Amino acid sequence: MRPVYIVSGGVSKFVKARHDKTFQGLVKEAYDYALADIGIEHPKFFELVDGTVASYFSDHFTRQLMAGIMAQDYLGMCPKPSHRVEGGGATGGICFQEAWKSVASGYMDVCLAYGFEHMSHVETWKGNEFIALASDVSFDYPVGGFYSGYYAMMVTRHMAEFGTTVEQLAHVSVKNHINAYHNPYAQKRMRLTIDDVRNSPMVAWPLTRNDICVMSDGAACVIMCSEDGLAKLEKETGQTYHKVKVGGIGRGTDAMRMSDRPHQSYEDFYKYNALPNEMDDDSKAYYKNLWDKGFRYPGIHSFRAGRMASREAYKNANITDPMNEIDFVELHDAYTSSEIQTYEDMGLCRYGEGGNLAASGKVFMPGVEYGLDLPEKPICPVNPSGGLIACGHPVGATGLMQGVFALWQLQGTVEKHFSDPTLQLKDAKRGAIHSHAGTGTYVTVSIIEKEN
Amino acid sequence: MSNKEFPQQIEENLEGTTVFNIPFPKDDDLSVLKKLSPIVYKHPYSIEYNYSYGLDSPFFAGLANKRFIVCREPESGYTYATPRGHDMYSGKETEWVEIVPEGRIHGFTVCHFGSEAFLPECPFVLILVEFEECDTLFLARLIGVDPNKANIDWIGKKVKGRFLRNAKLKPTDIYFNVVE
């Protein structure tokens, strides 16, 4: 595989309803922004781009099959090669990785990845129904198909298993909403308190409205290229671009039905799932103790797919200590609880320690006032953009949105794009983006790095 | 080619979306159309499926007869509480085994909101049941508890399945009560 650079990206403003444009128009908005940012116009870019990958989750929302080709057509990308990818909530992350593969394999020198979701065509409760159809329609959906319900069952198990508290969950919500206060692309820019989160309407006990991401209309795109592709773009525009590359990717899967999740032995966990930073004696003793008390892995409290995706991505990017070797993470926080679960899957802490990490301060942004008493300083900020909870979750766009925000973070151009420097991390060299589907069925992790 | 023996106009009616006096510029200046508010219209859509449960069909036949059957891999004995025709480890076909639907709550939630189809039933309680005889869980409704008194202590409580008298051929043909 050859090196792959991310040269530009664009995001439409995520909002509850964009009635002013159809999905093609939203994609065009993100695409035009990405081109403008590298100083090239469509006719010239069209000469240089080799193909595209399209990303959207549900045909139901748009009541339109083959919407991918309609976006391709509207962008003026025909007759270049393209295909659509779909993998639930991870659709955008899969799209990002498919574009990477197109370039890394040598098939393309310049590849455009674009994604969208136009969810406002139906009311929220109907949208919840569409999303719940991404659970087994024989055994899960008919019992009360509702993704917030599925995740709430994971939460109660996490609470019973590890002592995680609703206040710890609320820390995630406060962090992400306040981060998003400085992100003009975000849908919910709010200064919340722990009480605000806990006192908001209960959706699925113990998750409240402010523990859960919202449906959104939006689009995002990323332009990736090989060294040759980068040279062609730079020659065309006369500019020199930031060298930001994909350091490695990983992907994992797990059973569609949460009820089918297996429970591996301690030995198998260490053989197949453990990360390099869990190989020390202290961690082995910690996990042995969990297993001795009846711990099930992955059970319903953990995402084995997320762990496998992380493990593969870290191996490919030579990461052995994620908390200290990754400067920030944009992860799939569809729920405050899933952010905590994902800390553990990604090895930012051990399984069972996610609740404490959420309230520790280590995953908060430096220089942002949260109104919380945080005992420790930031080490690896998680969801500096505000994540899905505050930015919104237009499914097919979300994983690409993470890629764009990570790119801007590593370019050091957050102030330029946000008109606000608050969320710019100083000297960020490496970030991770994490995209997640279903109850943990498909998960992608991609490492993005600034080239020295 | 036009044949006057055939109607030259579509016969119009007032069904569906019928609108009058949509604003439009009366002069030649069409640039103002860029300021036109988006047109949003209602479009109902419904489908009736002829859905097959395939290999899982005996499970629903069992519920209709007030019998709870699960799937077991014959050699390893690995048992799926939620039916599955083939084992995920050996790849072999599973066999049907009957168990008594009594177990414990592994995880739960109270849904105060939901998908459109289930809104009238809110609040309702979802549980994942663990059975001693099974290696995996079963998603079901818990009936007979106060949904406003959710407590983490519900986890681990003993539950017992009850069957609907009139089967609907859905997994909800069995539901659970807490056994005191």
Side-chain angles (χ1 to χ4, degrees):
Chain A
M1 295 291 186
R2 57 185 184 162
V4 177
Y5 296 93
I6 310 171
V7 71
S8 189
V11 182
S12 74
K13 163 77 175 167
F14 288 4
V15 293
K16 181 169 177 57
R18 282 290 302 270
H19 290 315
D20 62 313
K21 288 183 179 175
T22 55
F23 61 88
Q24 302 100 312
L26 296 184
V27 177
K28 174 79 170 146
E29 210 171 283
Y31 171 68
D32 284 347
Y33 190 95
L35 291 199
D37 199 38
I38 52 171
I40 194 167
E41 294 189 346
H42 172 70
K44 283 293 175 193
F45 184 73
F46 181 74
E47 286 176 19
L48 298 177
V49 70
D50 295 301
T52 72
V53 186
S55 154
Y56 66 99
F57 159 58
S58 173
D59 299 308
H60 295 59
F61 282 108
T62 41
R63 197 174 52 83
Q64 173 70 63
L65 302 183
M66 292 186 71
I69 189 59
M70 293 176 73
Q72 174 89 349
D73 171 2
Y74 197 77
L75 292 181
M77 283 292 162
C78 296
K80 303 269 183 181
S82 184
H83 69 284
R84 174 243 181 144
V85 298
E86 188 280 315
T91 301
I94 292 170
C95 181
F96 182 93
Q97 295 192 346
E98 290 306 302
W100 174 85
K101 284 184 193 172
S102 297
V103 176
S105 64
Y107 177 51
M108 294 183 186
D109 275 324
V110 180
C111 182
L112 170 72
Y114 57 82
F116 62 88
E117 213 74 45
H118 212 164
M119 308 175 86
S120 64
H121 287 174
V122 296
E123 301 293 349
T124 301
W125 39 92
K126 180 56 83 178
N128 275 316
E129 197 171 297
F130 289 166
I131 293 165
L133 290 172
S135 60
D136 188 321
V137 296
S138 293
F139 293 99
D140 291 340
Y141 176 79
V143 184
F146 184 36
Y147 255 90
S148 298
Y150 303 157
Y151 274 77
M153 285 190 284
M154 299 180 200
V155 179
T156 55
R157 191 68 207 178
H158 205 281
M159 291 166 77
E161 196 87 42
F162 305 122
T164 309
T165 67
V166 292
E167 288 74 22
Q168 289 169 336
L169 303 182
H171 274 73
V172 174
S173 180
V174 169
K175 169 175 69 69
N176 293 355
H177 281 99
I178 291 180
N179 287 351
Y181 192 80
H182 304 280
N183 177 355
Y185 291 93
Q187 185 167 333
K188 288 174 72 190
R189 305 169 69 192
M190 302 162 76
R191 291 189 179 281
L192 296 181
T193 64
I194 300 289
D195 284 345
D196 291 334
V197 179
R198 291 314 306 160
N199 294 332
S200 64
M202 188 60 71
V203 175
W205 195 89
L207 296 173
T208 71
R209 188 177 288 172
N210 283 322
D211 282 306
I212 302 172
C213 71
V214 288
M215 291 183 209
S216 194
D217 286 352
C221 75
V222 167
I223 298 169
M224 292 192 201
C225 53
S226 64
E227 282 185 298
D228 287 348
L230 188 67
K232 286 182 213 171
L233 285 167
E234 288 183 338
K235 185 179 175 191
E236 178 59 42
T237 62
Q239 295 185 29
T240 302
Y241 303 129
H242 297 272
K243 289 268 177 39
V244 176
K245 67 177 185 180
V246 180
I249 69 161
R251 229 185 258 189
T253 59
D254 215 331
M256 176 70 153
R257 301 187 302 215
M258 201 161 58
S259 55
D260 284 352
R261 295 290 157 76
H263 32 100
Q264 298 178 193
S265 65
Y266 167 82
E267 289 74 21
D268 277 353
F269 173 76
Y270 262 95
K271 187 173 178 184
Y272 300 114
N273 312 110
L275 295 173
N277 55 313
E278 292 170 330
M279 293 299 176
D280 59 293
D281 290 344
D282 183 54
S283 294
K284 285 180 178 174
Y286 171 86
Y287 281 124
K288 188 74 175 65
N289 184 45
L290 281 185
W291 257 272
D292 287 346
K293 287 197 288 189
F295 179 70
R296 294 173 180 221
Y297 184 81
I300 62 165
H301 45 66
S302 303
F303 301 121
R304 185 173 53 163
R307 171 50 70 95
M308 297 310 284
S310 304
R311 194 170 134 116
E312 187 178 296
Y314 295 165
K315 186 179 174 192
N316 290 332
N318 297 315
I319 293 169
T320 55
D321 180 6
M323 178 59 111
N324 293 301
E325 294 175 17
I326 299 173
D327 297 311
F328 66 93
V329 178
E330 290 284 350
L331 66 77
H332 193 98
D333 58 325
Y335 302 91
T336 52
S337 48
S338 57
E339 175 162 323
I340 287 175
Q341 292 168 283
T342 301
Y343 296 156
E344 300 171 356
D345 299 321
M346 294 189 75
L348 300 179
C349 61
R350 296 182 289 213
Y351 283 109
E353 296 177 338
N356 287 335
L357 178 60
S360 70
K362 289 179 181 175
V363 291
F364 283 68
M365 283 291 287
V368 174
E369 178 50 52
Y370 294 99
L372 297 168
D373 184 18
L374 300 170
E376 299 192 63
K377 288 183 177 172
I379 298 176
C380 177
V382 172
N383 286 322
S385 69
L388 282 62
I389 282 180
C391 290
H393 184 19
V395 187
T398 305
L400 294 169
M401 167 200 80
Q402 295 171 325
V404 177
F405 291 152
L407 172 69
W408 292 345
Q409 194 65 257
L410 292 164
Q411 286 177 336
T413 57
V414 167
E415 181 175 6
K416 171 185 163 190
H417 298 291
F418 288 4
S419 302
D420 184 336
T422 310
L423 299 179
Q424 179 67 60
L425 287 162
K426 286 193 178 71
D427 301 324
K429 292 182 175 58
R430 179 190 264 166
I433 59 174
H434 162 279
S435 195
H436 170 115
T439 52
T441 46
Y442 294 115
V443 180
T444 67
V445 172
S446 303
I447 307 298
I448 307 176
E449 302 170 340
K450 195 191 292 186
E451 191 168 82
N452 291 326
Chain B
M1 188 174 160
S2 178
N3 187 333
K4 294 198 170 155
E5 289 180 13
F6 290 86
Q8 301 292 305
Q9 279 185 308
I10 284 181
E11 192 175 334
E12 296 192 47
N13 59 48
L14 296 178
E15 292 171 5
T17 303
T18 305
V19 292
F20 304 94
N21 301 322
I22 289 280
F24 203 81
K26 291 189 170 40
D27 53 25
D28 291 337
D29 181 11
L30 299 185
S31 63
V32 297
L33 287 174
K34 295 281 182 189
K35 295 177 183 169
L36 181 73
S37 296
I39 294 173
V40 179
Y41 73 103
K42 295 281 185 189
H43 181 94
Y45 186 63
S46 68
I47 309 166
E48 190 167 68
Y49 286 92
N50 297 318
Y51 184 77
S52 169
Y53 281 126
L55 290 175
D56 301 326
S57 299
F59 175 78
F60 296 94
L63 294 185
N65 287 282
K66 299 181 174 46
R67 310 269 296 269
F68 191 71
I69 56 173
V70 298
C71 293
R72 179 169 295 161
E73 206 275 355
E75 285 184 23
S76 68
Y78 195 86
T79 305
Y80 297 90
T82 310
R84 186 178 171 111
H86 290 80
D87 179 58
M88 67 166 72
Y89 300 105
S90 68
K92 289 183 179 160
E93 200 171 342
T94 55
E95 59 188 18
W96 292 104
V97 180
E98 184 172 6
I99 66 166
V100 177
E102 291 181 9
R104 291 183 184 276
I105 296 175
H106 184 80
F108 77 94
T109 185
V110 181
C111 293
H112 294 267
F113 190 71
S115 301
E116 186 175 44
F118 304 105
L119 280 180
E121 297 164 36
C122 292
F124 57 87
V125 182
L126 293 178
I127 56 171
L128 282 162
V129 187
E130 55 181 61
F131 303 106
E132 262 188 33
E133 301 92 330
C134 297
D135 295 283
T136 69
L137 308 170
F138 183 75
L139 177 64
R141 292 280 187 102
L142 181 69
I143 304 295
V145 294
D146 184 345
N148 294 311
K149 291 186 177 167
N151 192 299
I152 207 70
D153 292 341
W154 288 7
I155 287 182
K157 294 286 184 203
K158 279 188 181 173
V159 289
K160 183 176 181 179
R162 290 181 68 168
F163 298 93
L164 285 187
R165 278 191 298 121
N166 301 307
K168 309 289 183 195
L169 297 176
K170 297 280 178 65
T172 43
D173 285 350
I174 185 169
Y175 58 94
F176 287 78
N177 297 138
V178 172
V179 180
E180 298 300 340

